[in-house]
Amino acid sequence: MSVRENILNAIAANQPKLVPLPVIDEASVIHYEDLYAQFKTVLESIGGKVELISNTEVLKEQLAADKSSGSFVVNTIAALGNVDNQVVSLTAIELEKVDKAYIEGTVGVAENGAVWVYESQMINRLVPFICQHLVLVIYKKSIVPTLHQAYEKIEAAREGFGLFLAGPSKTADIEQSLVIGAHGARSATIYVVE
């Protein structure tokens, strides 16, 4: 037997016993009086912008203005019209010039300001990271208090890729110099539809 096989056999023989997942008492997790207010407060504290809108008509006008400006704008939201399906086959080099991306989210989380986005909602998984300015759209009724409730609403294994996004990209080095947009969008605006 080779050294590699010995190591793998030792690992296989020393697996911990499987134990059931803990049952979470829903009554003991965090509750908020106003889910939207908490979502907005947290998201704005981490650099995002949140705006409550009554319907998507405002966004249709904004999208039309953005596209007419000559910037590379990607829309993946069918409700806004003219979905840019061609981005599915574009490479990172071709997507590098994306100025703004409009993407619909599935669930918002009040405790941390995160929004769940499926790969199919992005059309191309590079879009939310490579764009300069990210616009996410969620419905107010889809905001939940905590990640516990969010995971109950989403199907994490439904598609090959999905993620929680919270605010713009940010990083800080050892000297604690905050840099916005180093690894993704420089701004993130979340529109919450009433």
Side-chain angles (χ1 to χ4, degrees), residues 109-112 114 144-154 164:
V109 184
E111 75 174 334
N112 61 9
V144 296
T146 68
L147 283 169
H148 296 295
Q149 288 92 356
Y151 276 107
E152 289 173 5
K153 287 190 169 274
I154 64 172
F164 283 105

Side-chain angles (χ1 to χ4, degrees), residues 3-179:
V3 173
R4 179 179 182 271
E5 288 172 332
N6 286 339
I7 292 170
L8 291 175
N9 288 337
I11 291 170
N14 290 299
Q15 293 294 315
K17 292 181 181 176
L18 293 176
V19 295
L21 291 173
V23 176
I24 296 173
D25 177 17
E26 291 291 327
S28 65
V29 298
I30 300 169
H31 294 282
Y32 301 104
E33 293 290 322
D34 184 341
L35 293 177
Y36 168 74
Q38 177 65 23
F39 178 78
K40 179 180 170 85
T41 300
V42 172
L43 198 55
E44 288 178 347
S45 74
I46 59 173
K49 298 176 194 133
V50 180
E51 190 173 325
L52 186 64
I53 57 175
S54 58
N55 57 50
T56 57
E57 290 304 312
V58 174
L59 293 177
K60 284 181 184 178
E61 293 169 14
Q62 181 178 312
L63 176 62
D66 287 341
K67 287 205 174 218
S68 67
S69 72
S71 298
F72 187 0
V73 178
V74 172
N75 173 40
T76 67
I77 305 172
L80 301 182
N82 297 331
V83 172
D84 297 311
N85 288 312
Q86 78 280 3
V87 300
V88 74
S89 61
L90 297 181
T91 65
I93 293 169
E94 294 166 315
L95 289 170
E96 177 192 12
K97 294 178 177 60
V98 173
D99 184 56
K100 193 180 256 189
Y102 288 77
I103 301 172
E104 185 172 358
T106 301
V107 175
V109 184
E111 75 174 334
N112 61 9
V115 175
W116 176 263
V117 183
Y118 286 109
E119 182 173 18
S120 61
Q121 292 172 303
M122 303 172 211
I123 297 183
N124 183 321
R125 66 173 69 174
L126 292 173
V127 170
F129 308 106
I130 206 162
C131 67
Q132 293 295 313
H133 306 283
L134 178 62
V135 175
L136 292 172
V137 179
I138 62 169
Y139 288 88
K140 190 175 181 183
K141 65 183 178 192
S142 69
I143 299 175
V144 296
T146 68
L147 283 169
H148 296 295
Q149 288 92 356
Y151 276 107
E152 289 173 5
K153 287 190 169 274
I154 64 172
E155 298 172 54
R158 182 178 94 182
E159 298 181 10
F161 183 73
L163 68 138
F164 283 105
L165 282 168
S169 164
K170 49 203 155 307
T171 188
D173 62 11
I174 294 170
E175 296 173 7
Q176 298 183 1
S177 298
L178 181 62
V179 177

